[in-house]
Amino acid sequence: MDGAGQLTKEKLIDMLRKMHTIRAFEEKADQLFALGKVHGTMHLSIGMEATAVGAIAALRPDDYITSTHRGHGHCIAKGGDVKLMMAEFLGKETGYCRGRGGSMHIADVESGNLGATGVVGGGIPTAVGAALSVQLRKTGQVVLCFFGDGAANMGIFHESLNLAAIWKLPVVFVCENNQYAMSMPVARAFPIENIADRAAAYAMPGKVVDGNDVLAVYAAVAEAVDRARAGEGPSLIECKTYRWKGHSKSDQERYRTREEVAAWKKKDPIARFEAYLLQEGLLTEEQRQAIAKEAQERIEEAVAFAESSPEPRVEEISEGVYA
Amino acid sequence: MREITYAEAIREALRQEMQRDPHVFLMGEDIGVYGGAFGVTLGLLEEFGPERVRDTPISEGVIAGAAAGAALTGMRPVAEIMFMDFTTLAMEQLVNQAAKTRYMFGGKAKVPMVLRTPAGSGTGAAAQHSQSLEAWFVHVPGLKVVMPSTPYDAKGLLISAIRDDNPVIFVEQKLLYRTKGPVPEEPYTVPLSVAEVKRAGRDVTIIATGVMVVRSLAAAAKLAQEGIEVEVVDPRTLKPYDAETITKSVIKTGRVLIVHEAYKTCGFGAEIAAMISEGPAFMYLNAPIRRLAGLDIPIPYNRTLEYHAVPQEENIITAVRELMAYK
Ligand SMILES: Cc1ncc(C[n+]2csc(CCOP(=O)(O)OP(=O)(O)O)c2C)c(N)n1
Ligand SMILES: [Mg+2]
């Protein structure tokens, strides 16, 4: 691991804290689901925490992101409030979307999270549009666009990259390649080895990084963000990672082996970052335990907040369709 | 007769048509080992192999468009779009290409394809995975639209749809996948464009589609205890639909309730209400035509809100009682 050079110790610890918070949030979400407290579906990013945290660490607080159906990590990394997220997950009026959106549609527009979409690839043109707005308003912001490997086979992916490239828009496309789109392995869905190779068709830099190495993700995205902010246009970064859990709640996982999952679990991005920080003397074992414990406590508080929050009122069901 | 689920009935129709006709093949996202998001195609990959059960990348446009292209050249593809919400991404290919081909080319080409897709709310999947967009397709000349409410109809209508020489949008109901009903083991067809009276009655005609047929029948059973005899008509095919069966029923009862899950504004019910108003049944009406439909809002995530966003059995009962107040 390297690339930590430009990051302060505080920032590194904050990144670790966020990774733990994401893990704790999602483990709790999984548990609440198993207890039957949640109606609907959800997509967990356990095992992929380094991509969300590493990429967003390269942003300014006023920069934008667009998220995906697997978006809890993006929201937390961008500074989202886990209480409001948990309330949304439980469908409560106090949630980010007043209980109307749920796990798949968390948006925190105030923190620059332009929201999670349930339509694969649906957020890619939104990011391009936000980048166009940034260019027109001359605000110097950058837009980070998250999407999965599966989304890179949507027509809109190609339209979006092309438009961003010809207009030199300040957007960074971050592909979270977790090896599968539901049951479809990347090897069957793509005739190419690296999704980042598609950048060549749009004359933008394309880079492959180890998506389980939070600092490598950070370094690659930071370079692309600098480029975007300097007016030099978009980049495509492919983070190779893995989702530990099933695609959604109803996945029998018939398309992969336990051995494969176990092998990837050995590459746990959190354990790896901790080992690095411990080795570099940036973290003590005591601090490590405290951070993990604190993350769980924050999630317990979030659950308590969500569970004691009111349900949306049926009389208000038709509110908010129009501005 | 043997009972199987709605999902099994669809699978059986696919299997039997694939056995009968080597031109029939399936394509869609995760329809192979995964068996589709709702398990409908489970086991078909093992039986027919990857050439005829084709997993595609997430590319709805080309799923629909390539199905049309294959159909144009002699195959009979059955494409699957994982959620009806994502047919929006296939719209150009369905509406401008598949639907227009035959007429535009002077009747010299045909597009015998089926596009299967699950619709409806009730699963907590929120605004982008819960829609009922059948009216969009009903609006397009050249497309047929089918929406079965029972396992029996699902099998028979799907076989008819596959054998039909036109592009057929086959709208499945998520909430009905696990419902059971009698289904013959051998292949059979239920003709397209023929409605069915699912329950006979003299007082009120309910015209309902999809899952609302099931709710209407449940409501009708309760209303019968109050002495109100409801007739439930299921159009089964929404385009081209069977106006005659509906008209006959309305002439008999003089009261009309139309129930669907899709949005009320410009929904299928608007067409049916207009057809009744324009036709011979109008003079027999004893009460204003009533529509019960989904609210004009995106489907909310919260379970209670979601419940109230679309018609439920109790809403149907109340609406029928209100219609009965007209003498
Ligand atoms: C347009 C569209 N098609 C299909 C789906 C159903 N679906 C939801 S997530 C998913 C897989 C997405 O794969 P990927 O982009 O790699 O993201 P991941 O789930 O792996 O994070 C599919 C097929 C969808 N939501 N949107
Ligand atoms: Mg993926």
Side-chain angles (χ1 to χ4, degrees), chain A residues 148-150 176-182 243:
Chain A
D149 46 284
E176 297 182 279
N177 176 355
N178 59 7
Q179 313 305 320
Y180 292 92
M182 236 164 119
R243 72 167 151 72

Side-chain angles (χ1 to χ4, degrees), chain A residues 38-41 88-89 91 99-105 117-120 150 153-154 181-184 188-189 250-251 254-255 311-314 317-318 321, chain B residues 30 33-37 42 55-60 82 86 89 122-129 295-306 308-309:
Chain A
V38 186
H39 168 61
T41 193
E88 188 57 36
F89 187 58
R100 271 74 167 167
S103 155
M104 219 177 349
H105 301 298
T117 172
V119 183
V120 168
N153 280 326
M154 294 293 287
M182 236 164 119
S183 68
M184 178 64 110
R188 282 209 293 136
S250 53
D251 186 354
R254 279 183 285 256
Y255 50 86
E311 291 274 321
R313 288 155 45 85
V314 175
I317 192 170
S318 293
V321 179
Chain B
D30 304 284
V33 281
Y34 201 100
L42 262 182
D55 271 334
T56 67
I58 311 175
S59 308
E60 283 77 10
M82 195 184 285
F86 312 144
L89 290 151
T123 65
Q128 297 172 336
H129 287 74
L295 299 177
D296 278 322
I297 61 170
I299 298 293
Y301 169 71
N302 173 277
R303 189 180 216 145
T304 309
L305 294 188
E306 185 188 29
H308 287 280

Side-chain angles (χ1 to χ4, degrees), chain B residues 24 34 54 62 118 130 138 147 208 221 229 235 240 254 258-259 283 285 289 306:
Chain B
V24 178
Y34 201 100
R54 308 184 75 94
V62 75
S130 303
V138 170
M147 195 161 163
E229 287 301 332
I258 304 163
V259 194
M283 302 306 289
L285 288 177
I289 297 174
E306 185 188 29

Side-chain angles (χ1 to χ4, degrees), chain A residues 113-196:
Chain A
N113 176 358
L114 301 179
T117 172
V119 183
V120 168
I124 306 177
T126 309
V128 171
L132 173 60
S133 157
V134 161
Q135 193 186 60
L136 291 169
R137 291 185 290 115
K138 302 184 175 52
T139 59
Q141 292 159 288
V142 168
V143 185
L144 199 64
C145 172
F146 287 107
F147 56 94
D149 46 284
N153 280 326
M154 294 293 287
I156 198 71
F157 164 83
H158 297 276
E159 298 179 29
S160 299
L161 266 69
N162 188 59
L163 196 76
I166 59 172
W167 289 352
K168 282 200 176 351
L169 299 177
V171 51
V172 178
F173 299 102
V174 177
C175 179
E176 297 182 279
N177 176 355
N178 59 7
Q179 313 305 320
Y180 292 92
M182 236 164 119
S183 68
M184 178 64 110
V186 286
R188 282 209 293 136
F190 293 86
I192 47 174
E193 175 78 20
N194 296 313
I195 294 169

Side-chain angles (χ1 to χ4, degrees), chain A residues 85-313:
Chain A
M85 287 176 68
M86 195 57 85
E88 188 57 36
F89 187 58
L90 295 188
K92 297 303 181 82
E93 181 67 27
T94 54
Y96 266 122
C97 312
R98 301 183 61 199
R100 271 74 167 167
S103 155
M104 219 177 349
H105 301 298
I106 294 177
D108 177 13
V109 179
E110 269 167 44
S111 82
N113 176 358
L114 301 179
T117 172
V119 183
V120 168
I124 306 177
T126 309
V128 171
L132 173 60
S133 157
V134 161
Q135 193 186 60
L136 291 169
R137 291 185 290 115
K138 302 184 175 52
T139 59
Q141 292 159 288
V142 168
V143 185
L144 199 64
C145 172
F146 287 107
F147 56 94
D149 46 284
N153 280 326
M154 294 293 287
I156 198 71
F157 164 83
H158 297 276
E159 298 179 29
S160 299
L161 266 69
N162 188 59
L163 196 76
I166 59 172
W167 289 352
K168 282 200 176 351
L169 299 177
V171 51
V172 178
F173 299 102
V174 177
C175 179
E176 297 182 279
N177 176 355
N178 59 7
Q179 313 305 320
Y180 292 92
M182 236 164 119
S183 68
M184 178 64 110
V186 286
R188 282 209 293 136
F190 293 86
I192 47 174
E193 175 78 20
N194 296 313
I195 294 169
D197 294 349
R198 292 193 169 168
Y202 307 105
M204 66 174 76
K207 190 160 188 176
V208 178
V209 290
D210 177 345
N212 283 15
D213 177 345
V214 70
L215 296 178
V217 173
Y218 166 78
V221 175
E223 194 186 335
V225 166
D226 286 348
R227 196 183 129 84
R229 222 182 294 282
E232 290 164 33
S235 307
L236 172 60
I237 292 163
E238 176 185 359
C239 304
K240 304 239 193 216
T241 181
Y242 199 80
R243 72 167 151 72
W244 290 9
K245 296 282 178 173
H247 167 72
S248 64
K249 60 156 187 183
S250 53
D251 186 354
Q252 307 292 316
E253 302 187 51
R254 279 183 285 256
Y255 50 86
R256 64 182 187 183
T257 62
R258 264 177 228 183
E259 291 71 33
E260 182 184 292
V261 179
W264 274 94
K265 284 190 177 171
K266 292 207 182 98
K267 303 184 213 172
D268 181 354
I270 296 182
R272 193 162 155 191
F273 190 33
E274 287 176 343
Y276 168 82
L277 294 172
L278 287 166
Q279 184 199 315
E280 296 292 309
L282 296 163
L283 180 77
T284 65
E285 177 54 27
E286 249 169 36
Q287 283 170 321
R288 190 193 71 77
Q289 289 178 16
I291 287 170
K293 188 160 162 266
E294 208 185 290
Q296 299 204 337
E297 285 166 3
R298 284 184 63 211
I299 298 306
E300 289 306 333
E301 283 167 27
V303 173
F305 169 79
E307 286 190 329
S308 63
S309 288
E311 291 274 321
R313 288 155 45 85

